Amino acid sequence: MIKHDYGLEYSISFRKVDPNDSQILSEFECENTTIRNFARYQSISSPKDVTYIFVDNENKTVISFCSICCTGISITEFEEDDEDKPYNSTIPSIEIDFFAVDERYRSLPLDENSGRYDTLSNALFLYMIEHIKKIASSVVGATHICLYAVPKAKNFYKRCDFVEFSEYMNRDEKPFVKNCVPMFY
């Protein structure tokens, strides 16, 4: 891999995965085995997710990937006339099933003037959020973005304006990765 000091030094392309990407995805490095295996072996053919990748054009490696799907956030509401009568409602949402940055790129500052959190990882995630917002407003009409954060990444997502599920939101019974924290934007 060619050594760069800053994230802005990379020539990066962004696109949806295709079957020709299996070789570069097989080299994706991530400390979480479930996330790494999804990127390597399932991201191209997942029946429910659409996966996008950020590619280092110089090295032909995957810098980051993000898999999204349509979902809903289940909430418990109460009848206006009868506070003892709860009912479930669903908020249309797009879920980020997986987002990860390859270990080799994870903590790169954007440039020499970058603050502690001005990293390539943060920039790629915020770019993905903007892409999801476009899909939400022009294709599916979703109003929220949700995800289940691995505990180590919870503060990263909070810095990107995600918040933990409120007490009236019903979390999924079984998230992909153990001990994940449900969050939404």
Side-chain angles (χ1 to χ4, degrees):
M1 182 166 103
I2 299 166
K3 174 74 173 116
H4 291 291
D5 292 326
Y6 306 109
L8 293 178
E9 295 174 350
Y10 287 94
S11 168
I12 300 171
S13 58
F14 171 74
R15 61 185 168 76
K16 186 177 160 187
V17 295
D18 69 48
N20 297 322
D21 293 324
S22 49
Q23 176 59 40
I24 62 172
L25 283 162
S26 72
E27 298 166 5
F28 185 81
E29 286 299 327
C30 173
E31 65 189 37
N32 185 295
T33 306
T34 302
I35 296 171
R36 181 181 60 243
N37 286 343
F38 181 86
R40 290 180 174 184
Y41 309 116
Q42 298 170 320
S43 61
I44 292 173
S45 60
S46 173
K48 78 170 220 172
D49 292 294
V50 175
T51 299
Y52 294 89
I53 55 177
F54 293 91
V55 177
D56 174 348
N57 295 325
E58 198 171 336
N59 293 322
K60 303 291 187 252
T61 56
V62 175
I63 296 172
S64 176
F65 85 99
C66 185
S67 294
I68 63 173
C69 67
C70 287
T71 191
I73 298 173
S74 174
I75 61 172
T76 301
E77 297 185 280
F78 295 89
E79 293 283 341
E80 280 183 38
D81 301 343
D82 188 356
E83 299 245 348
D84 293 331
K85 206 171 197 182
Y87 66 95
N88 287 335
S89 183
T90 303
I91 299 170
S93 307
I94 293 179
E95 182 172 347
I96 298 174
D97 274 342
F98 295 99
F99 173 79
V101 177
D102 187 287
E103 292 173 357
R104 298 165 283 192
Y105 299 89
R106 187 169 297 134
S107 298
L108 283 174
L110 288 177
D111 59 34
E112 65 273 3
N113 299 317
S114 293
R116 180 177 178 193
Y117 301 118
D118 298 329
T119 63
L120 179 61
S121 300
N122 194 54
L124 297 177
F125 185 72
L126 293 175
Y127 184 91
M128 193 65 212
I129 292 300
E130 290 305 313
H131 183 71
I132 292 170
K133 286 179 183 179
K134 288 178 188 169
I135 293 169
S137 65
S138 64
V139 180
V140 295
T143 57
H144 290 66
I145 301 170
C146 64
L147 55 81
Y148 284 78
V150 294
K152 270 177 96 170
K154 186 172 87 170
N155 288 331
F156 170 81
Y157 294 120
K158 281 185 175 183
R159 286 191 302 274
C160 295
D161 294 330
F162 277 74
V163 294
E164 291 185 46
F165 271 36
S166 302
E167 61 190 53
Y168 67 92
M169 297 173 137
N170 307 316
R171 62 184 288 154
D172 283 350
E173 293 296 316
K174 187 174 184 209
F176 287 114
V177 182
K178 194 174 183 173
N179 298 322
C180 285
V181 178
M183 302 180 83
F184 74 97
Y185 174 90

